[in-house]
Amino acid sequence: MTSSPPTNGFDSQNPPPQSVIDSCVHCGFCLSTCPSYRVIGKETDSPRGRIYLMDGINKGVASFDATTTSHFDSCLGCLACVSTCPSGVAYDQLISATRSQVARNQPRPLPQGLLRTIIFNLFPYPERLKTVWSPLWLYQKTLQPLIRKFDLVSKFSPSLGAMESVLPPISLKPPKDFPTVVPAKGQKRYRVGMILGCVQRLFFDDVNTATLRVLTANGCEVVIPKSQGCCAALPAHQGETLQAQALARQMIDSFKDTDVDFVIINAAGCGHTLKEYDHILADDPDYHESAQQFSGKVKDAQEFLCTVGLSTPLSAITPEQFTLVYQDACHLLHGQKISLQPRQLLRQIPGVTLREPIDAALCC
């Protein structure tokens, strides 16, 4: 696809739709639920403010430059504003289109551009990500306590510092190599596909193992294609449209001949993106129909289990009375509109008392 270069505004390739922009009545209900506005406190770093900027750029009265880009970048994409908006403004469509414009037309400062290049060429590719596994383990065992004590990474790069702060504990134990087909335990009820993810399969391998165990225990034959890769969430959320489309096509092809009833995902952001494949590939005549069919089969693991019901008895956990709270994942609640199902499943566990945390719907 080609697009005419912008002079002072967006290019002609899928700019933020003016009709969606005009649906915003600027009431401000979104402000209290927007994490960037709550922290930064500036109108331009709120959904309403960004919509003003999009409108101004569309109409040629606001500049599309580094300053406006910084306000689009500050959006976490949690989509809380979409759930809050009384007018039903599809802000997710607006920010997605805007980020594609930014990625194509706005040059990044060298350090930022280098970091983004590393991220987009490393994280969506599990085999490449494995190359940093051992060095990260060694770093955690040797340098991490000293570096965190003096906050050295953040002083060098705030972005890298933020990433380092959420680095999970790493083990040299390799992630499990799951079989392509895992039989159901007991009577087979469904044949489902399971997506391992890219970061998930390395850093949170235990979540995939638990998901597989629960699915097979509840009568699911599970298909795990070896050819599957990244779901495309990372590039899709950051406007890297071509990369997102390529990864989406790869995922669709990997499940093409598996004859599964559903495709199961256990990560909220990934699930939201998988359900958006028909939008990501809307302009691809060869894949649009298959993207629609694929997205129609995608179910979050909790959504799926709550819908089909559990077929195996649940054992009580220790201690016998266990109180917990459930924090909604942003893309599960606001993107996929899944809220009751996880709570309904948790309440079925003998001995569990479920309570609601304050502001459960706000981005963590």
Side-chain angles (χ1 to χ4, degrees), residues 6-223:
T7 52
N8 191 39
F10 298 128
D11 64 37
S12 59
Q13 184 179 321
N14 298 324
Q18 190 63 45
S19 59
V20 180
I21 290 175
D22 291 340
S23 66
C24 175
V25 298
H26 313 297
C27 64
F29 276 89
C30 57
L31 300 184
S32 62
T33 62
C34 175
S36 57
Y37 178 77
R38 287 165 66 96
V39 172
I40 301 172
K42 293 183 179 179
E43 174 74 20
T44 46
D45 291 295
S46 72
R48 181 174 66 179
R50 296 186 188 102
I51 290 175
Y52 272 122
L53 290 175
M54 296 172 196
D55 186 45
I57 296 170
N58 262 352
K59 295 177 179 177
V61 296
S63 298
F64 185 31
D65 54 22
T67 299
T68 50
T69 293
S70 69
H71 299 307
F72 298 136
D73 282 346
S74 70
C75 174
L76 297 181
C78 71
L79 308 183
C81 57
V82 177
S83 297
T84 308
C85 180
S87 300
V89 178
Y91 175 82
D92 51 338
Q93 295 181 22
L94 295 176
I95 195 64
S96 177
T98 300
R99 284 191 160 150
S100 296
Q101 294 280 337
V102 169
R104 284 195 300 271
N105 300 313
Q106 289 300 311
R108 300 281 183 174
L110 182 59
Q112 192 181 114
L114 179 61
L115 179 61
R116 289 174 67 89
T117 298
I118 293 173
I119 288 173
F120 292 127
N121 284 280
L122 182 65
F123 282 81
Y125 305 99
E127 292 304 316
R128 299 179 192 176
L129 198 55
K130 287 181 181 178
T131 62
V132 301
W133 191 253
S134 295
L136 284 175
W137 174 85
L138 184 62
Y139 162 78
Q140 285 192 330
K141 294 299 182 183
T142 57
L143 298 176
Q144 188 182 62
L146 181 64
I147 285 179
R148 286 192 170 182
K149 179 179 179 180
F150 295 101
D151 199 22
L152 297 179
V153 178
S154 294
K155 291 176 181 176
F156 170 73
S157 168
S159 296
L160 279 177
M163 295 171 65
E164 196 279 338
S165 70
V166 295
L167 180 66
I170 293 175
S171 168
L172 279 184
K173 182 181 178 182
K176 289 182 175 60
D177 185 19
F178 298 111
T180 302
V181 179
V182 182
K185 293 182 178 180
Q187 183 179 0
K188 174 183 168 183
R189 302 166 66 200
Y190 299 95
R191 177 179 168 90
V192 303
M194 178 174 155
I195 293 178
L196 300 178
C198 42
V199 173
Q200 180 94 329
R201 77 176 71 181
L202 293 176
F203 289 89
F204 304 102
D205 180 52
D206 56 331
V207 178
N208 283 339
T209 302
T211 302
L212 178 62
R213 185 173 67 247
V214 171
L215 289 173
T216 55
N218 285 279
C220 293
E221 178 184 59
V222 182
V223 181

Side-chain angles (χ1 to χ4, degrees), residues 298-313:
V298 173
K299 297 288 184 183
D300 175 78
Q302 299 167 102
E303 174 189 25
F304 170 74
L305 290 168
C306 194
T307 300
V308 303
L310 304 179
S311 60
T312 190

Side-chain angles (χ1 to χ4, degrees), residues 317-349:
I317 58 177
T318 304
E320 292 183 0
Q321 294 300 319
F322 195 86
T323 301
L324 57 84
V325 295
Y326 174 79
Q327 173 75 27
D328 289 282
C330 292
H331 284 90
L332 199 63
L333 174 61
H334 306 301
Q336 301 184 57
K337 309 303 181 187
I338 296 172
S339 176
L340 294 177
Q341 296 93 323
R343 292 167 169 84
Q344 291 170 344
L345 289 172
L346 288 170
R347 288 192 177 101
Q348 293 183 50
I349 302 173

